[in-house]
Amino acid sequence: MLTKYEYKENLGNIFELFSSGLIFINDKGILLDMNSYAEKILDINKDDYVGNHANDLCEMFSVSDEEKKFLVKKLKKEGYLENHMEYQPIVG
């Protein structure tokens, strides 16, 4: 049987090695953590976003206010959100 520490360590490894970008946001909209794959996809440093409101991160995407409301409503209702967005960095 795994100890609490071993269990947490295994979850951390899964989180980091997951082959998609994972971003955790709490019920207040605060970005709690993201894995290295999300950092790579978005070409950002998570330290610049963790602890801030998720709206700061959403500004990177072309998402209408109506879409944001739908996503937040779904997240609150279901407790999780799996969503695929296209991201094109602004070069300039």
Side-chain angles (χ1 to χ4, degrees):
M1 185 163 176
L2 295 176
T3 66
K4 194 174 191 178
Y5 173 78
E6 291 169 325
Y7 180 75
K8 187 173 181 176
E9 187 174 305
N10 283 346
L11 283 178
N13 290 336
I14 292 168
F15 176 68
E16 271 307 313
L17 297 174
F18 197 74
S19 63
S20 292
L22 294 175
I23 300 171
F24 288 103
I25 301 167
N26 72 11
D27 62 337
K28 305 230 183 300
I30 303 301
L31 197 144
L32 301 175
D33 203 358
M34 68 176 67
N35 67 359
S36 57
Y37 199 69
E39 287 182 284
K40 183 178 177 182
I41 291 169
L42 298 173
D43 192 27
I44 62 172
N45 182 326
K46 76 178 182 179
D47 294 334
D48 295 335
Y49 291 90
V50 169
N52 295 333
H53 199 276
N55 284 338
D56 295 348
L57 187 63
C58 289
E59 295 303 319
M60 298 174 67
F61 302 95
S62 297
V63 180
S64 71
D65 287 340
E66 193 63 34
E67 289 172 301
K68 285 181 190 177
K69 287 177 186 176
F70 170 78
L71 294 173
V72 169
K73 184 177 178 180
K74 185 175 179 181
L75 178 60
K76 285 183 176 183
K77 179 181 178 187
E78 297 179 15
Y80 74 96
L81 176 67
E82 181 177 337
N83 195 43
H84 303 273
M85 295 178 161
E86 185 173 321
Y87 168 68
Q88 297 179 344
I90 299 171
V91 179

